[in-house]
């Protein structure tokens, strides 16, 4: 499973950098010289823009791959293994199972002297 997660992370990073590069290389709609002087307002947001060129189609495909790898990484991050819930719980369980029992004391019993090993906490 570790190989697949590493592969997804590498693909995710490469696709992300590629999308950034492709977006920076594309020519904007209102980036003509006339747009700097206010004549770029004639191009509306929902106007006919013509067919998509190679850069915009490649950006769309890479964006879909980026979205897919994001979902795959989210699924891997939130899928829990069947065993121990957390690292601290596994450390506590391993410490309690490896702690030596006191001589003459039954497991799980309290100390015979009446004094607890923990310090009293002022309230």
């Amino acid at each position: 499973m570790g190989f697949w997660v590493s592969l997804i992370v590498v693909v995710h990073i490469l696709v992300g950098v590629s999308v950034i590069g492709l977006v920076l290389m594309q020519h904007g709609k209102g980036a003509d010289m006339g747009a700097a002087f206010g004549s770029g307002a004639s191009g509306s947001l929902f106007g006919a823009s013509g067919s998509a060129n190679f850069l915009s189609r490649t950006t769309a495909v890479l964006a879909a791959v980026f979205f897919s790898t994001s979902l795959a990484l989210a699924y891997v991050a939130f899928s829990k293994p069947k065993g121990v819930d957390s690292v601290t719980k596994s450390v506590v369980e391993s410490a309690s199972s490896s702690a030596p029992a006191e001589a003459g004391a039954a497991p799980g019993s309290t100390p015979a002297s009446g004094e607890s090993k923990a310090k009293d906490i002022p309230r």
Side-chain angles (χ1 to χ4, degrees):
M1 180 105 174
F3 170 75
W4 291 109
V5 173
S6 299
L7 182 68
I8 292 172
V9 168
V10 168
V11 169
H12 187 72
I13 291 171
L14 290 176
V15 168
V17 170
S18 300
V19 167
I20 291 170
L22 283 173
V23 167
L24 289 176
M25 285 192 318
Q26 290 181 16
H27 185 70
K29 282 185 177 181
D32 295 331
M33 185 61 182
F37 299 106
S39 66
S42 63
S44 66
L45 180 63
F46 299 107
S49 61
S51 63
N53 60 6
F54 176 74
L55 288 177
S56 62
R57 288 183 184 175
T58 307
T59 304
V61 168
L62 288 178
V65 172
F66 186 82
F67 182 74
S68 301
T69 57
S70 297
L71 288 178
L73 288 172
Y75 176 76
V76 168
F78 286 108
S79 63
K80 291 186 178 179
K82 302 281 188 219
V84 179
D85 292 334
S86 69
V87 174
T88 56
K89 187 175 179 181
S90 67
V91 169
V92 170
E93 287 177 356
S94 66
S96 65
S97 65
S98 66
E102 292 184 20
S109 65
T110 59
S113 66
E115 295 180 17
S116 67
K117 292 184 180 179
K119 294 182 179 180
D120 293 335
I121 301 173
R123 294 180 190 194

